[in-house]
Amino acid sequence: MTTTMMRLRQHLGLASSPAIYTSAIARLGNNTAHHRRRTTRPRIMSSSASDSASPAAPFEKPRAVVKKVLAESQPEGQGATVRRSIGRHELRSLDPFLLLDEFSVSKPAGFPDHPHRGFETVTYMLEGAFTHQDFAGHKGTIKTGDVQWMTAGRGIVHSEMPAGDGVQKGLQLWINLSSKDKVIEPRYQELESKDISRAEVDGVEARVIAGEALGAASPVYTRTPTMYVDFTMRPGSRLHQPVPEGWNAFVYVVEGDGVFGREKAAPTTAHHCLVLGPGDGLSVWNRSDRSLRFVLVAGKPLGEPVVQHGPFVMNSRAEIQQAMEDYYYGKNGFERASQWSSSA
Ligand code: FJE
Ligand code: FE
């Protein structure tokens, strides 16, 4: 069977093996959601964990946790395991976010050749290394603490495979693109760990992947306005972090346990995703005796219809049909797809 044939069969759900695309479509499902447009009033406020003169939270409208979801492990890719939070049944999508996977992968498992169109993937390595290769010759390895911000735009075909021995861990976030950005040329923004802006205030460390926190700012350009911060809080510390009003926001706990939103709330442990309600900032307390590590992610909702078919995310069924056809025939951004296969 030719590669193109296999591709079509896979997309139609006819593939025998390897079945990465079929499983993607089956698991990620067809997700049609209509979102109301909202007005957004992003605000940049000065922020400091030492801002503790007043016992009350320094926000007019502190954000509370409105939903808590445990990211349970599930198979994905080829022999890989992910803990999916955003994108799972209970948390279909949180405009503009489509998916958050905490992946944990050892060779020879991984995510072999697959396409993307219409959104961005942000891969943040927590432990170990991953090698990516795409159909345009872009190749690299990201290691612990590094970030790859990939704007798939009109089309990318790539592989993402573990590079080291043992378990390689990280987070992969999918951010939707607005209709006008779904057809742009693909682009990468890569940050090595040492180049990620960081700040430390009163026992709270922030690594800023996008946006700003504790006075540190990220150089990443976010086409869909996004804030993404990795916080580590020492025992006994607290944090008051502004989050732009009108943006959808969530927390994913990586390690330890913490109290989020309300001082009297029950602590949340690792692998839980917390959806935050409306407001202008988030307060967090670490009352445990070990470090708390979590990511805080917020984004300006696009307010556009979302039609998802596995690794293609567009605004309508017709556009999904077009994406599958383009991928199959190698058109409109997928020209190199038919010739290429990764060396991994
Ligand atoms: C996949 C489409 C995909 N979660 N976490 C379909 F894009 C993928 C995929 C990933 C992925 C990759 C990494 Cl490095 C981390 C991920 C899904 O590549 F697995 C399917 N089935
Ligand atoms: Fe991918």
Side-chain angles (χ1 to χ4, degrees):
M1 207 163 31
T2 65
T3 343
T4 31
M5 267 287 286
M6 274 177 62
R7 225 169 251 143
L8 182 65
R9 289 173 64 81
Q10 283 161 344
H11 278 294
L12 295 176
L14 303 171
S16 38
S17 94
I20 179 168
Y21 309 134
T22 322
S23 65
I25 290 163
R27 288 203 194 89
L28 294 170
N30 288 331
N31 175 19
T32 310
H34 296 271
H35 305 272
R36 271 179 299 130
R37 192 173 289 279
R38 298 190 201 179
T39 50
T40 56
R41 286 184 291 117
R43 273 203 288 170
I44 310 285
M45 288 166 55
S46 66
S47 150
S48 164
S50 61
D51 192 11
S52 55
S54 140
F59 301 119
E60 276 175 45
K61 284 169 263 173
R63 288 179 180 252
V65 173
V66 295
K67 195 165 185 174
K68 175 173 171 172
V69 174
L70 173 65
E72 282 172 286
S73 295
Q74 62 181 74
E76 189 51 282
Q78 212 162 74
T81 306
V82 301
R83 285 178 178 272
R84 180 159 301 160
S85 46
I86 312 286
R88 67 184 297 119
H89 181 66
E90 306 93 293
L91 219 48
R92 252 290 162 240
S93 101
L94 187 70
D95 188 12
F97 306 109
L98 303 160
L99 175 141
L100 180 71
D101 279 354
E102 179 184 357
F103 58 93
S104 206
V105 183
S106 307
K107 285 174 182 172
F111 305 92
D113 310 9
H114 60 277
H116 293 277
R117 174 182 279 183
F119 59 100
E120 302 185 294
T121 66
V122 181
T123 311
Y124 182 38
M125 289 308 297
L126 296 173
E127 191 186 318
F130 246 69
T131 295
H132 58 91
Q133 283 181 57
D134 83 4
F135 70 160
H138 187 88
K139 186 178 172 176
T141 299
I142 50 170
K143 305 183 181 68
T144 307
D146 297 352
V147 174
Q148 184 202 53
W149 196 291
M150 183 187 90
T151 306
R154 65 207 295 250
I156 288 250
V157 183
H158 71 168
S159 70
E160 297 155 284
M161 303 299 283
D165 292 319
V167 188
Q168 319 294 304
K169 294 182 185 179
L171 297 175
Q172 188 170 91
L173 175 70
W174 292 11
I175 308 172
N176 205 0
L177 286 167
S178 69
S179 56
K180 67 173 191 330
D181 290 334
K182 285 184 183 296
V183 291
I184 61 175
E185 285 302 316
R187 174 185 181 196
Y188 292 92
Q189 299 177 81
E190 272 149 351
L191 285 182
E192 281 187 41
S193 184
K194 63 174 172 50
D195 301 322
I196 291 178
S197 311
R198 81 182 60 211
E200 193 168 345
V201 179
D202 289 351
V204 180
E205 188 202 343
R207 304 184 88 242
V208 187
I209 294 159
E212 57 175 273
L214 308 184
S218 163
V220 167
Y221 174 64
T222 61
R223 231 156 262 278
T224 302
T226 303
M227 161 184 182
Y228 188 154
V229 186
D230 172 12
F231 285 105
T232 301
M233 296 177 62
R234 301 279 152 239
S237 64
R238 62 146 124 183
L239 165 73
H240 299 300
Q241 173 61 40
V243 179
E245 246 189 298
W247 288 21
N248 283 325
F250 68 89
V251 159
Y252 186 77
V253 181
V254 173
E255 216 172 82
D257 55 278
V259 173
F260 294 85
R262 298 282 182 264
E263 241 187 306
K264 301 220 159 65
T268 298
T269 55
H271 315 300
H272 282 90
C273 181
L274 305 174
V275 177
L276 306 180
D280 55 359
L282 173 69
S283 297
V284 186
W285 297 265
N286 181 0
R287 299 216 197 84
S288 76
D289 56 9
R290 58 191 178 131
S291 255
L292 162 67
R293 186 177 185 190
F294 65 94
V295 295
L296 169 61
V297 180
K300 183 178 175 180
L302 296 168
E304 294 179 7
V306 177
V307 184
Q308 177 166 358
H309 193 69
F312 303 128
V313 183
M314 304 301 290
N315 296 114
S316 68
R317 289 190 163 270
E319 286 170 356
I320 289 293
Q321 191 57 45
Q322 185 66 51
M324 300 204 308
E325 212 178 290
D326 288 347
Y327 181 50
Y328 172 56
Y329 290 111
K331 292 185 310 185
N332 298 318
F334 285 119
E335 281 76 6
R336 303 175 199 246
S338 29
Q339 272 71 262
W340 181 81
S341 85
S342 69
S343 58

